[in-house]
């Protein structure tokens, strides 16, 4: 029995208060330290609820029917003191605007807010806030009002406010869905930076072309149930995937129509691989 | 087809005095058109002017032969429909059907007719099975479709979408795209502002590129989206399909007829 | 960017004064005119305040504020002039209503006091960003918790105002008439307030999550970064 999993979920079933429909049904999986895992599925599939469950906000903040277990480093999230939990696992939400507490007047103070609450010594706060703002390229904006930032910068600020707590796991729920392509790229750059620092990442994302370049595995949810948990190319090569109508990376779709697979027998999901395979196919057809 | 929307020498500035739209001349007929551009290109300002919510500082906008300066927003609602970005900024009824009937009741004043229009619009977006549900029991994507229906129920000749793909999943992006095609087929003039270049490529025949208040180019989508100089100048992405074409070294339509 | 309040962006020496100093001036001039209810003192402070407002190039905005309270002033003259308890010397009669000297003098003092207060606080409000004032107060010992509450309200209300503008646009786009009979206007009001309240509730829930994630309920002793804005410079 390996007990080194960072996150382990055991037959988690959950329904929101006043709802007889299960938002999550019998979910089980585990994630190893440093892994980057994507979550895909249609709106309403339970992706956000799963994020809330991972961070313990379900059932702490959202009550309701809850059975099964979410284990973080082998400990049930319901047993971990919330104070300890926020430094272990961080959550970034979809809407950058409503994540800003509004309690503070500047970008700098907004980031420092969580550390102040935790009673971290002042000098350490200054050091950590500075480091995070510089890493996320927000240092120049430190004296600005958060609400004056662009959407992309606001989302980076939300990520900074969570990263400053130095969590071991970062959960991001559609962090780019409200952003334009520039903002999306910036957020993904941060994600890749976090990944290289060994932070375990769980990422809900509809922009598959970006997602597949970063994730080790993908969780595929449909109506609260986990349909699959596997590598991206295996997920998008599932014979029944079309029936779920979740879509696929654009070049995977192309390769599917042309029936072009990679050496492992799956449709390519990454850009460079797809280009290689298409090039080969073209040479073949030219001859 | 006659020009239902005609923009002549349009200049616009907010109170501050700096022009955010500069000498725009363009017209729209039955061809679905995407307006693309970076944040700050004044796309939203432009569609608000088309809708009559803002009036030109200089120049004129003609909708169905009527100058927007000489009519009211409520009057224009019969001709131009605008689907806003955020559904939560308009939904206020406790039933799907009532929300969709709100617009038609305002402009037609006939309950029976409004109901019919609402039901037809809900059918078109695929929500006819949820007529009596509470809008907030729907998923975010369904709420977006609800807002689209609430505009279509007024039977406008021109339908404008403001960032229709934002916060949507792949399934619903496709669904909205197919709706664009359907509306175009039904003789509507569809205009969308968006930064989702793949969405533009898939569903719009014509593309306008706005950059810092200037109309950079106006033409066929598949020609414009291949012009990397234009896209780069406007700070836009090349759609994935053309990224592949240029990397593979062949025109993708030859390799794979779309 | 919209900031809640009356702040007018200008580059003048009055704008550059410490917010706390301006607050002190406003309080002092108000208190003094209350303690010494003489017309001379009133005029003196009023002239000084108007002078400061002129230096700050916000006189136009101040006059707009004074216009609003002048309606109140007229009623003060009417009521005090006719019904002040100390009324003894009739001065003149208008439409068979008698006005007395004592009451009118009393009204002059009251109105001066009111104008004086508006002008003095006008300097503060018209030339100071609310957030700068809170910042200055917190630095001088106001409880940061009280500061948070004021700051977040000041931060979020302007956002709600711009949301309200977008909602009005959305409803007008669906043919809603904003003018007309009371019934029509009431309908329009419902169409505005409904999405505004629902939207705010949804947003409040997310904002509560954001506070939760950053452990706002901490039972540990908070650190206050009270003086960091000084050391940063």
């Amino acid at each position: 029995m390996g007990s080194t999993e960072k996150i382990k979920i055991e037959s988690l079933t959950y329904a929101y208060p006043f709802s007889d429909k299960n938002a999550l049904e019998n979910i089980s999986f585990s994630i190893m330290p440093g892994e980057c895992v994507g979550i895909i599925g249609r709106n309403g599939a339970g992706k956000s609820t799963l994020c809330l469950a991972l961070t313990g906000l379900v059932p702490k903040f959202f009550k309701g029917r809850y059975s099964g277990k979410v284990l973080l480093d082998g400990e049930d999230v319901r047993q971990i003191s919330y104070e300890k939990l926020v430094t272990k696992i961080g959550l970034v939400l979809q809407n950058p605007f409503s994540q800003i507490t509004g309690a503070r007047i500047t970008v700098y103070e907004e980031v420092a807010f969580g550390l102040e609450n935790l009673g971290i010594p002042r000098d350490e706060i200054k050091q950590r806030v500075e480091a995070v703002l510089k890493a996320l390229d927000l240092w120049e904006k430190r004296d600005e009002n958060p609400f004056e930032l662009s959407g992309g910068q606001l989302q980076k600020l939300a990520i900074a406010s969570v990263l400053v707590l130095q969590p071991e796991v970062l959960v991001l729920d559609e962090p780019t869905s409200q952003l334009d392509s520039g903002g999306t790229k910036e957020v993904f750059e941060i994600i890749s930076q976090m990944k290289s620092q060994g932070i375990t990442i769980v990422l809900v994302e509809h922009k598959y072309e970006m997602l597949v370049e970063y994730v080790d595995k993908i969780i595929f949810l449909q109506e609260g149930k986990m349909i699959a948990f596997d590598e991206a190319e295996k997920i998008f090569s599932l014979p029944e995937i079309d029936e779920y109508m979740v879509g696929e990376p654009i070049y995977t779709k192309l390769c599917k129509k042309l029936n072009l697979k990679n050496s492992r027998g799956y449709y390519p999901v990454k850009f460079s691989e797809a280009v290689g395979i298409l090039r080969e196919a073209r040479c073949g057809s030219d001859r | 087809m006659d020009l239902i929307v005609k923009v002549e020498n349009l200049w616009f500035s907010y109170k501050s005095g700096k022009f955010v739209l500069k000498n725009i001349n363009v017209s729209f007929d039955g061809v679905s058109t995407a307006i693309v551009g970076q944040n700050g290109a004044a796309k939203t300002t432009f569609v608000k002017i088309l809708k009559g919510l803002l009036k030109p500082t200089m120049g004129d906008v003609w909708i169905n032969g009527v100058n927007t300066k000489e009519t009211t927003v409520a009057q224009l609602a019969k001709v131009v429909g605008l689907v806003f970005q955020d559904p939560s900024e308009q939904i206020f009824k406790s039933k799907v059907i009532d929300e969709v009937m709100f617009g038609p009741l305002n402009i037609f004043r006939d309950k029976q007719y409004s109901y019919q229009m609402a039901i037809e619009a809900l059918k078109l977006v695929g929500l006819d099975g949820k007529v009596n549900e509470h809008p907030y029991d729907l998923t975010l994507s369904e709420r977006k479709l609800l807002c689209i229906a609430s505009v279509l129920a007024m039977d406008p000749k021109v339908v404008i979408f403001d960032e229709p793909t934002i916060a949507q999943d792949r399934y619903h992006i496709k669904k909205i795209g197919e709706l664009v095609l359907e509306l175009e087929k039904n003789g509507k003039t569809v205009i969308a502002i968006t930064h989702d270049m793949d969405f533009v490529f898939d569903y719009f025949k014509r593309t306008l590129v706005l950059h810092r208040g200037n109309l950079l180019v106006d033409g066929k989508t598949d020609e414009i989206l291949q012009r990397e100089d234009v896209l780069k100048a406007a700070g836009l992405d090349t759609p994935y399909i053309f990224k592949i074409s240029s990397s593979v070294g062949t025109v993708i339509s030859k390799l794979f007829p779309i | 960017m919209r900031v809640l309040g009356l702040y007018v962006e200008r580059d003048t020496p009055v704008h550059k004064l410490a917010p706390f100093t301006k607050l002190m001036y406003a309080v002092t001039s108000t208190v003094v005119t209350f303690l010494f209810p003489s017309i001379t003192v009133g005029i003196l402070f009023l002239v000084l305040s108007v002078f400061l407002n002129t230096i700050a190039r916000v006189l136009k905005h101040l006059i707009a504020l004074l216009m609003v309270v002048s309606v109140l002033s007229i009623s003060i003259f009417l009521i005090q002039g006719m019904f002040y308890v100390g009324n003894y010397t009739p001065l003149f009669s208008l439409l068979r209503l008698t006005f007395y000297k004592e009451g009118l003098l009393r009204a002059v003092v009251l109105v001066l006091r009111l104008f004086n207060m508006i002008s003095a606080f006008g300097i503060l409000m018209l030339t100071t960003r609310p957030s700068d004032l809170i910042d200055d107060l917190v630095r001088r010992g106001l409880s940061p918790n009280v500061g948070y509450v004021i700051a977040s309200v000041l931060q979020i209300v302007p956002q709600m105002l711009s949301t309200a503008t977008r909602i009005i646009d959305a409803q007008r786009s669906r043919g809603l008439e904003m003018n007309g009979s009371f019934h029509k206007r009431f309908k329009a009001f419902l169409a505005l307030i409904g999405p505004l309240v629902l939207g705010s509730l949804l947003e409040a829930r997310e904002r509560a999550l954001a506070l939760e994630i950053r452990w706002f309920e901490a039972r540990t002793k908070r650190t206050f970064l009270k003086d960091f804005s000084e050391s940063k410079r």
Side-chain angles (χ1 to χ4, degrees):
Chain A
M1 285 298 285
S3 58
T4 53
E5 298 99 348
K6 194 78 199 165
I7 297 169
K8 187 169 178 158
I9 295 201
E10 291 173 356
S11 35
L12 176 68
T13 297
Y14 171 75
Y16 282 98
F18 311 111
S19 168
D20 30 296
K21 215 178 108 203
N22 285 336
L24 294 173
E25 206 168 302
N26 201 18
I27 309 275
S28 303
F29 62 84
S30 41
I31 298 175
M32 305 306 280
E35 266 189 320
C36 179
V37 173
I39 303 181
I40 65 165
R42 281 163 55 179
N43 279 347
K47 305 185 298 297
S48 297
T49 312
L50 184 55
C51 290
L52 294 172
L54 286 172
T55 48
L57 289 163
V58 158
K60 182 187 185 284
F61 196 82
F62 298 91
K63 313 289 179 199
R65 261 187 305 117
Y66 185 98
S67 66
K69 270 182 196 164
V70 175
L71 303 170
L72 200 59
D73 285 327
E75 249 187 296
D76 193 321
V77 288
R78 288 171 294 178
Q79 252 95 68
I80 306 176
S81 80
Y82 207 75
E83 188 185 347
K84 196 172 147 205
L85 198 59
V86 292
T87 61
K88 272 181 105 76
I89 187 160
L91 175 64
V92 175
L93 301 164
Q94 184 182 109
N95 182 346
F97 170 71
S98 59
Q99 283 176 86
I100 304 305
T101 60
R104 297 320 207 92
I105 295 159
T106 65
V107 165
Y108 187 100
E109 294 168 309
E110 180 72 28
V111 175
F113 183 68
L115 296 175
E116 289 178 84
N117 294 339
L118 289 166
I120 307 290
R122 199 178 288 171
D123 286 339
E124 194 187 332
I125 295 186
K126 287 180 189 171
Q127 205 188 325
R128 277 164 71 170
V129 172
E130 185 174 338
V132 163
L133 287 178
K134 282 186 173 159
L136 268 57
D137 210 13
L138 282 172
W139 183 243
E140 297 299 310
K141 305 269 174 195
R142 64 188 180 278
D143 288 333
E144 287 186 21
N145 184 330
F147 289 112
E148 287 174 36
L149 300 179
S150 72
Q153 289 167 339
L154 210 52
Q155 191 62 286
K156 281 198 334 190
L157 172 59
I159 297 176
S161 316
V162 169
L163 282 180
V164 80
L165 304 173
Q166 298 176 342
E168 295 154 26
V169 182
L170 188 60
V171 180
L172 303 107
D173 186 4
E174 295 191 37
T176 71
S177 80
Q178 311 261 340
L179 309 182
D180 61 10
S181 62
T184 303
K185 273 180 209 147
E186 286 188 69
V187 168
F188 270 100
E189 267 162 35
I190 295 169
I191 290 170
S192 111
Q193 202 183 326
M194 294 307 112
K195 195 184 167 187
S196 62
Q197 285 174 23
I199 295 179
T200 308
I201 297 166
V202 179
L203 172 62
V204 179
E205 186 58 67
H206 293 302
K207 291 170 184 155
Y208 302 149
E209 291 80 7
M210 302 288 280
L211 182 74
V212 292
E213 302 289 336
Y214 298 90
V215 294
D216 302 304
K217 279 174 159 184
I218 284 180
I219 292 170
F220 173 23
L221 291 180
Q222 176 93 358
E223 290 180 354
K225 298 187 190 78
M226 193 171 84
I227 304 294
F229 178 35
D230 221 327
E231 285 156 44
E233 57 180 26
K234 290 182 186 162
I235 296 262
F236 289 114
S237 299
L238 286 173
E240 70 273 24
I241 187 103
D242 290 345
E243 290 163 32
Y244 295 115
M245 297 185 285
V246 283
E248 61 260 281
I250 287 164
Y251 22 88
T252 309
K253 188 171 162 191
L254 200 61
C255 292
K256 263 189 192 178
K257 295 225 167 157
L258 296 168
N259 199 22
L260 298 171
K261 291 183 176 176
N262 63 20
S263 55
R264 293 176 297 279
Y266 300 107
Y267 297 113
V269 290
K270 292 193 181 180
F271 181 75
S272 54
E273 196 188 15
V275 165
I277 287 173
L278 284 165
R279 245 188 222 151
E280 227 172 82
R282 182 191 148 218
C283 294
S285 68
D286 281 355
R287 247 175 261 137
Chain B
M1 185 165 288
D2 34 323
L3 302 172
I4 181 144
V5 179
K6 209 164 135 200
V7 178
E8 284 178 338
N9 309 319
L10 167 70
W11 292 74
F12 182 82
S13 74
Y14 287 98
K15 274 181 201 152
S16 56
K18 214 177 132 201
F19 283 105
V20 292
L21 284 170
K22 297 158 198 161
N23 199 25
I24 309 284
N25 283 286
V26 70
S27 51
F28 300 92
D29 46 26
V31 177
S32 59
T33 306
I35 302 176
V36 297
Q38 244 181 346
N39 287 345
K43 292 175 295 189
T44 303
T45 305
F46 185 57
V47 294
K48 276 189 177 171
I49 290 172
L50 295 185
K51 173 74 201 168
L53 289 165
L54 297 170
K55 308 286 178 196
T57 309
M58 289 191 275
D60 295 286
V61 175
W62 304 83
I63 306 286
N64 218 11
V66 178
N67 193 320
T68 58
K69 284 176 184 164
E70 283 145 22
T71 183
T72 65
V73 180
Q75 282 295 319
L76 274 175
K78 292 171 195 168
V79 192
V80 186
L82 173 55
V83 180
F84 283 79
Q85 202 171 316
D86 187 351
S88 69
E89 285 172 0
Q90 71 165 67
I91 292 174
F92 73 111
K93 299 282 189 184
S94 56
K95 263 189 192 176
V96 165
I97 183 74
D98 293 337
E99 185 66 37
V100 181
M101 278 174 70
F102 175 75
L105 277 176
N106 278 331
I107 61 172
F108 304 129
R109 321 236 163 220
D110 181 299
K111 210 164 180 185
Q112 190 57 39
Y113 184 63
S114 297
Y115 179 80
Q116 274 172 18
M117 294 303 286
I119 291 289
E120 261 171 55
L122 284 168
K123 264 186 201 153
L124 204 58
V125 302
L127 283 179
D128 46 326
K130 309 211 166 184
V131 169
N132 288 316
E133 288 196 24
H134 194 290
Y136 275 92
D137 285 339
L138 305 180
T139 66
L140 191 74
S141 295
E142 287 171 332
R143 257 179 271 157
K144 182 83 180 186
L145 293 173
L146 167 62
C147 291
I148 297 175
S150 82
V151 167
L152 296 182
M154 294 184 280
D155 196 26
K157 286 188 179 160
V158 184
V159 184
I160 308 175
F161 293 93
D162 185 359
E163 296 286 1
T165 64
I166 227 161
Q168 300 301 313
D169 59 25
R170 291 280 175 126
Y171 172 76
H172 285 92
I173 290 176
K174 193 165 169 234
K175 193 149 186 172
I176 293 168
E178 284 164 358
L179 194 60
V180 169
L181 298 179
E182 174 89 18
L183 291 171
E184 189 183 23
K185 215 174 69 192
N186 295 347
K188 309 279 186 198
T189 296
V190 183
I191 302 170
I193 58 179
T194 179
H195 56 251
D196 186 336
M197 304 304 276
D198 294 287
F199 180 69
V200 174
F201 177 79
D202 284 344
Y203 303 106
F204 292 85
K205 293 199 180 71
R206 178 180 169 205
T207 298
L208 305 182
V209 180
L210 267 186
H211 184 56
R212 296 201 184 130
N214 293 299
L215 183 57
L216 279 193
V217 280
D218 170 3
K220 283 186 182 156
T221 297
D222 33 1
E223 282 166 17
I224 287 176
L225 296 195
Q226 291 197 63
R227 287 180 55 184
E228 280 179 27
D229 54 327
V230 172
L231 297 184
K232 209 171 169 188
L236 294 163
D237 274 355
T238 308
Y240 280 108
I241 207 84
F242 290 129
K243 277 187 197 158
I244 301 175
S245 308
S246 61
S247 301
V248 174
T250 181
V251 179
I252 215 76
S253 55
K254 273 192 197 162
L255 185 72
F256 168 67
I258 297 158
Chain C
M1 181 64 198
R2 297 167 73 158
V3 180
L4 187 68
L6 305 163
Y7 178 70
V8 185
E9 180 91 52
R10 293 269 193 279
D11 186 23
T12 76
V14 179
H15 282 73
K16 286 187 188 121
L17 282 175
F20 189 71
T21 313
K22 285 181 267 188
L23 178 65
M24 278 298 103
Y25 170 74
V27 171
T28 311
S29 79
T30 308
V31 168
V32 169
T33 47
F34 265 86
L35 291 179
F36 305 99
S38 90
I39 294 179
T40 331
V41 173
I43 289 178
L44 216 68
F45 269 102
L46 186 60
V47 167
L48 183 57
S49 296
V50 169
F51 175 67
L52 288 172
N53 273 298
T54 315
I55 293 180
R57 307 214 319 271
V58 290
L59 194 61
K60 203 173 78 190
H61 302 84
L62 176 70
I63 290 171
L65 286 179
L66 292 177
M67 293 296 269
V68 177
V69 292
S70 52
V71 183
L72 185 61
S73 318
I74 292 170
S75 65
I76 291 177
F77 271 103
L78 289 177
I79 293 169
Q80 298 291 341
M82 290 186 290
F83 308 117
Y84 179 51
V85 257
N87 276 350
Y88 182 74
T89 327
L91 212 60
F92 61 89
S93 231
L94 204 71
L95 303 165
R96 268 187 276 160
L97 299 171
T98 312
F99 286 81
Y100 296 86
K101 184 183 164 195
E102 289 79 9
L104 288 175
L105 281 176
R106 167 92 184 145
V108 170
V109 173
L110 286 179
V111 168
L112 266 177
R113 215 183 258 175
L114 187 67
F115 273 45
N116 190 20
M117 196 168 88
I118 300 287
S119 317
F121 274 94
I123 298 170
L124 176 71
M125 306 290 281
L126 293 168
T127 69
T128 315
R129 269 179 219 279
S131 56
D132 289 348
L133 176 62
I134 295 164
D135 209 31
D136 204 17
L137 290 178
V138 170
R139 215 177 307 165
R140 286 166 203 268
L142 175 78
S143 151
N145 280 328
V146 177
Y148 293 165
V149 173
I150 305 172
S152 62
V153 168
L154 289 176
Q155 289 271 56
I156 289 160
V157 169
Q159 311 303 322
M160 273 179 78
L161 290 178
S162 46
T163 307
T165 318
R166 288 199 299 275
I167 294 171
I168 292 174
D169 277 351
Q171 308 301 38
R172 280 169 76 206
S173 299
R174 293 198 291 164
L176 182 72
E177 298 271 8
M178 304 301 285
N179 307 315
S181 65
F182 176 75
H183 176 73
K184 263 189 189 163
R185 276 190 225 183
F186 185 70
K187 237 180 87 182
F189 178 70
L190 284 185
L192 163 66
I193 212 74
L196 194 61
V197 169
L198 274 173
S200 304
L201 285 177
L202 286 178
E203 211 175 273
R205 194 181 70 176
E206 266 186 48
R207 194 156 276 131
L209 275 180
L211 286 170
E212 193 81 19
I213 295 164
R214 283 179 260 166
W215 196 221
F216 191 55
E217 288 173 25
R219 275 170 287 270
T220 35
K221 200 170 174 290
R222 277 203 170 75
T223 309
F224 292 118
L225 273 177
K226 200 168 67 181
D227 57 352
F228 83 87
S229 41
E230 287 157 356
S231 55
K232 230 173 19 185
R233 280 172 198 137

